[in-house]
Amino acid sequence: MAAEDVAQTVRQISQEILAAGELMSGAPLALVGIRRRGEILAQRIAAAIVAQTGRTLEVGALDITMYRDDVVGNRSIIIPMGTEMNFRIDNRAVLLLDDVLHTGRSVRAALDALMDFGRPRFIRLAVLVDRGGREYPISADFVGRRLEIPDESRVRVSLKPIDSDDAVVVDSAAPAAAGVRP
Amino acid sequence: MTQTPTWTRPHLLTLEALSSQEIMAVLDTAEALKEVSTRSIKKVPALRGKVVVNLFFEDSTRTRTSFRLAAQRMSADVVDFSVSTSSVSKGETLIDTARSIVAMGVDAIIIRHRSSGAPEVLSRLVQCSVINAGDGSHEHPTQGLLDLFTMREACRQRGKKISDLHVAIVGDIANSRVARSNLWALTKLGAKVTLVGPTTLCPSAFAEFGVQVTHDFDSILGEVDVINMLRVQFERITSAAFPSVREYSRYFGLNDERLKRCRADVLVLHPGPMNRGLEITSAVADGEKSAILRQVSNGLAVRMAVLYLCIGAGQFSES
């Protein structure tokens, strides 16, 4: 996917969210992105919602490093970035966002992390890409693009400003980066 | 992995051995973990199932408690091993004590010992992480890191970097492990360091570390951004290092009168415990320039970070 496809997909997810009655009425809404690229998605979709409805909503960034279980036994440690949620999530409608849904392990970690902050009214999940390969019983409520690709392929999402451009690339031959699980 | 993880060490023994990138990795991790202590549920599951032993051969309340709380906030189990009630008082050696603790299945030993180098020796002989919580007059790495963390926070408010800072470390330099850990970390990050104290406690030989040494506290007051006041360690001073407590206080104590001659944004640190009225007056210790209590809360985040980095899980499969 090139930059314009990514923009189009984000617009499409935003429209689906705007059409979802349970998110747009009732409990106050918070968009929580899993760091780092889920956070960018949260900001973009929040901007789209605010632009179209004028509605106020909260945007947070969730660091799931301390909750992860998809570990390779290698002693090179990821430096966490920290969670930034300057609002209470109790009784809110929370829309969780991530770039790629694969095994479901990141989402499991994110759900556990959110539980430590309070008791939301409900949580929904939106992802830019669902590439299949689930290991946990988790599914997304809003999906930008569904990909059917072999398990060993790797999906790389680039989003500005973290990356130089917006793109989604599938490395099919990819034994990805060293140390990554077979 | 798009990020470049920079920590591969199982032990934290000294700051002398760390690179500036590794020091920054600890500070960044601590910054991310500081938020945990503001939650209503002050706990993350990162070290669930890990066992951490506090093995303290010297008295400590703050460091021991800080490590204990840090381990608990990361969901590790903590065992406090108190020397006075242990077999050490029956004559068991450090290594035998540690080995028998490790045989019970622990992931990290946090050790404080009166002998410099004890943690290093231990790290070569046991199959678990070893974290130095102070060894003799050698190093106190987590204190150095929390001092640095506190300075970096202050730098952010002032629009500065650590490399812009001029830091005075004042007092009993010769006997101070806090001074050595600060010195290593600050010089690695490019800060300017001046050591201040009486000739007996602050020998000129310290200039070999690439720092300034002065015996005249008043001469540098107006130049420094940070003043780190050390405790006079009566338990380590073996001979008459200074004529009297009053004289020490007069020449090397930080009081309001001296503070007035410092820069308006000067930061005052003290590793604690303080001898109030000796190296620092109560008015200064409790005053607005003092970051002494911030040091204590930052210490918790820094120790959570060190535990996570040394015994936490490895690399993750998805970025």
Side-chain angles (χ1 to χ4, degrees):
Chain A
M1 281 163 80
E4 54 270 34
D5 301 320
V6 173
Q8 169 57 30
T9 308
V10 170
R11 272 198 298 277
Q12 171 215 319
I13 299 172
S14 305
Q15 289 311 316
E16 287 175 22
I17 291 164
L18 283 161
E22 62 170 6
L23 285 173
M24 302 314 295
S25 58
L29 178 62
L31 267 53
V32 178
I34 298 177
R35 287 193 121 152
R36 299 158 72 204
R37 290 177 183 79
E39 180 189 358
I40 308 292
L41 281 178
Q43 288 161 355
R44 292 190 188 177
I45 290 171
I49 294 172
V50 170
Q52 292 210 20
T53 64
R55 191 188 150 139
T56 56
L57 47 82
E58 300 285 355
V59 181
L62 194 64
D63 183 303
I64 59 166
T65 314
M66 297 294 144
Y67 293 84
R68 296 186 75 153
D69 71 338
D70 44 350
V71 165
V72 177
N74 165 327
R75 284 249 4 117
S76 182
I77 289 256
I78 291 220
I79 308 301
M81 303 183 64
T83 288
E84 286 172 26
M85 289 202 294
N86 304 316
F87 52 89
R88 294 182 63 87
I89 66 165
D90 297 279
N91 290 317
R92 276 186 192 277
V94 172
L95 179 64
L96 186 65
L97 295 106
D98 203 0
D99 53 354
V100 180
L101 179 56
H102 181 199
T103 60
R105 287 176 192 270
S106 299
V107 175
R108 193 286 309 163
L111 291 173
D112 278 356
L114 281 173
M115 296 303 112
D116 282 356
F117 284 90
R119 184 182 184 280
R121 185 73 181 280
F122 58 79
I123 303 175
R124 299 291 179 257
L125 175 65
V127 296
L128 188 64
V129 176
D130 179 349
R131 57 154 295 174
R134 218 75 78 238
E135 293 171 3
Y136 286 171
I138 278 167
S139 68
D141 303 283
F142 305 93
V143 177
R145 189 71 70 90
R146 282 180 211 280
L147 299 177
E148 304 236 340
I149 53 173
D151 213 29
E152 58 275 13
S153 302
R154 191 176 149 85
V155 179
R156 283 192 294 116
V157 172
S158 310
L159 291 175
K160 287 196 282 192
I162 295 172
D163 307 295
S164 56
D165 205 356
D166 288 357
V168 177
V169 179
V170 178
D171 292 339
S172 43
V180 165
R181 192 175 38 147
Chain B
M1 297 293 125
T2 48
Q3 284 153 310
T4 48
T6 46
W7 191 275
T8 53
R9 293 172 187 273
H11 311 298
L12 177 66
L13 304 172
T14 66
L15 296 189
E16 180 182 2
L18 299 193
S19 66
S20 58
Q21 289 84 354
E22 286 173 309
I23 292 171
M24 293 312 274
V26 182
L27 302 188
D28 290 344
T29 304
E31 193 166 340
L33 289 171
K34 209 178 163 183
E35 168 267 325
V36 173
S37 297
T38 66
R39 301 181 188 176
S40 56
I41 299 174
K42 298 176 183 56
K43 228 176 173 46
V44 291
L47 299 182
R48 207 168 42 180
K50 304 279 186 185
V51 181
V52 171
V53 177
N54 263 336
L55 183 58
F56 277 56
F57 293 89
E58 275 190 339
D59 289 340
S60 161
T61 39
R62 148 185 8 233
T63 306
R64 179 197 282 257
T65 309
S66 180
F67 266 113
R68 185 182 175 83
L69 267 177
Q72 287 171 338
R73 291 206 172 161
M74 303 300 282
S75 300
D77 294 313
V78 195
V79 179
D80 264 315
F81 190 93
S82 174
V83 169
S84 54
T85 60
S86 74
S87 312
V88 174
S89 56
K90 300 176 191 163
E92 191 180 42
T93 66
L94 159 66
I95 301 304
D96 284 336
T97 303
R99 278 184 171 154
S100 61
I101 291 171
V102 172
M104 296 179 211
V106 311
D107 299 284
I109 292 179
I110 296 160
I111 179 175
R112 169 167 287 190
H113 201 279
R114 76 188 66 80
S115 303
S116 300
E120 161 91 50
V121 171
L122 190 61
S123 73
R124 282 189 259 118
L125 295 172
V126 295
Q127 295 294 316
C128 73
S129 290
V130 175
I131 294 167
N132 182 1
D135 58 333
S137 54
H138 179 223
E139 282 221 39
H140 190 350
T142 55
Q143 181 72 43
L145 290 165
L146 76 88
D147 289 347
L148 218 59
F149 186 91
T150 309
M151 289 182 225
R152 189 169 77 156
E153 266 186 352
C155 280
R156 295 234 168 108
Q157 289 165 0
R158 293 157 170 74
K160 287 184 179 173
K161 296 195 294 286
I162 286 180
S163 56
D164 300 329
L165 295 181
H166 183 182
V167 180
I169 306 174
V170 185
D172 181 3
I173 309 292
N175 293 298
S176 174
R177 54 195 177 207
V178 176
R180 279 174 189 72
S181 286
N182 262 270
L183 211 154
W184 285 117
L186 286 165
T187 50
K188 278 171 199 286
L189 295 181
K192 182 178 173 190
V193 179
T194 300
L195 304 175
V196 186
T199 48
T200 46
L201 297 177
C202 182
S204 305
F206 272 93
E208 285 172 29
F209 281 94
V211 298
Q212 291 184 358
V213 176
T214 178
H215 311 299
D216 181 1
F217 192 11
D218 291 314
S219 69
I220 51 121
L221 287 174
E223 302 167 23
V224 295
D225 302 286
V226 180
I227 301 178
N228 198 347
M229 297 303 299
L230 302 175
R231 181 173 66 92
V232 177
Q233 304 184 88
F234 291 105
E235 75 277 18
R236 289 187 215 281
I237 297 174
T238 47
S239 59
F242 46 85
S244 75
V245 162
R246 280 187 61 196
E247 183 175 318
Y248 181 88
S249 187
R250 181 163 163 207
Y251 287 105
F252 299 102
L254 188 57
N255 50 33
D256 269 333
E257 198 269 317
R258 283 207 168 92
L259 200 58
K260 279 191 199 113
R261 286 187 269 149
C262 294
R263 299 168 57 115
D265 62 354
V266 73
L267 186 75
V268 176
L269 304 179
H270 191 299
M274 289 182 276
N275 297 307
R276 279 176 185 265
L278 205 175
E279 70 264 3
I280 191 165
T281 63
S282 283
V284 174
D286 305 328
E288 58 167 5
K289 313 285 189 210
S290 163
I292 295 171
L293 289 177
R294 281 211 300 284
Q295 285 175 276
V296 178
S297 20
N298 290 339
L300 187 55
V302 162
R303 291 181 178 113
M304 288 165 75
V306 166
L307 287 168
Y308 165 72
L309 292 171
C310 290
I311 61 173
Q315 194 171 309
F316 302 111
S317 61
E318 293 172 273
S319 62

